[in-house]
Amino acid sequence: MRASRLLPTSLMFTKFYNTLRFAAPQFCNKYAEDITALLAKRKEQVFTDPPPPVTASTATENEIYAAREIWKDDCAEVKARRTAYKTNKNAIRNVVLGQCDEAMMSKLEEDLE
C-alpha cells in the first residue's frame, strides 16, 4: 500500500495561509494593503477618525476653511478604507470557505451556533 501524499495539517495550513497572503490583493478591491497587513500581522486593522483641525486664533478665514476641507477629505478617506476593509474581508472569507470540504463547513457552522 502506498503512503499517503497528504501533508500534515499544520503544513497544509501554513502553505495555504502564505498563498492567501500573497494572493489577497487579487481578491480585494481598493486598499488591498489593509488586508495584506491583516494577514501578515494576524491582527485586525484599526481605522481611527482624524481629530478635527485646531486652528490658531490668528488664522485667517481662508486658512480655517482650508484646514476644515483637508479634515473632511481625511475623514472621507478613513470611511472609504473602513468600508473597503469590510468588503475585502468578506472576499477573503469567501475564498477560504471555497477551499473547505463539506466536513469542514459543517464544523464551522457548528462553531458559529
Side-chain angles (χ1 to χ4, degrees):
M1 184 172 192
R2 278 197 298 181
S4 174
R5 294 186 148 224
L6 290 177
L7 298 172
T9 305
S10 61
L11 187 57
M12 287 173 42
F13 172 78
T14 302
K15 189 174 181 177
F16 176 74
Y17 173 76
N18 287 333
T19 301
L20 181 64
R21 216 173 82 183
F22 293 109
Q26 296 174 12
F27 302 109
C28 299
N29 297 327
K30 211 171 176 188
Y31 305 111
E33 64 274 8
D34 294 328
I35 292 298
T36 304
L38 166 69
L39 292 170
K41 297 175 186 174
R42 296 183 188 188
K43 185 177 176 187
E44 284 286 340
Q45 295 291 94
V46 178
F47 300 97
T48 55
D49 292 324
V54 178
T55 53
S57 59
T58 59
T60 66
E61 198 171 310
N62 285 340
E63 291 171 333
I64 293 171
Y65 177 78
R68 187 168 305 274
E69 289 303 309
I70 291 170
W71 175 73
K72 285 180 186 178
D73 290 346
D74 290 346
C75 287
E77 175 81 9
V78 169
K79 183 179 178 182
R81 287 184 81 153
R82 194 178 289 133
T83 301
Y85 183 71
K86 290 177 184 176
T87 302
N88 291 338
K89 272 180 41 176
N90 283 333
I92 295 298
R93 177 184 165 272
N94 290 336
V95 169
V96 171
L97 291 178
Q99 300 301 310
C100 295
D101 60 11
E102 288 183 33
M104 178 59 80
M105 290 296 288
S106 296
K107 176 70 174 133
L108 290 172
E109 288 172 5
E110 286 174 16
D111 290 347
L112 288 176
E113 293 176 354

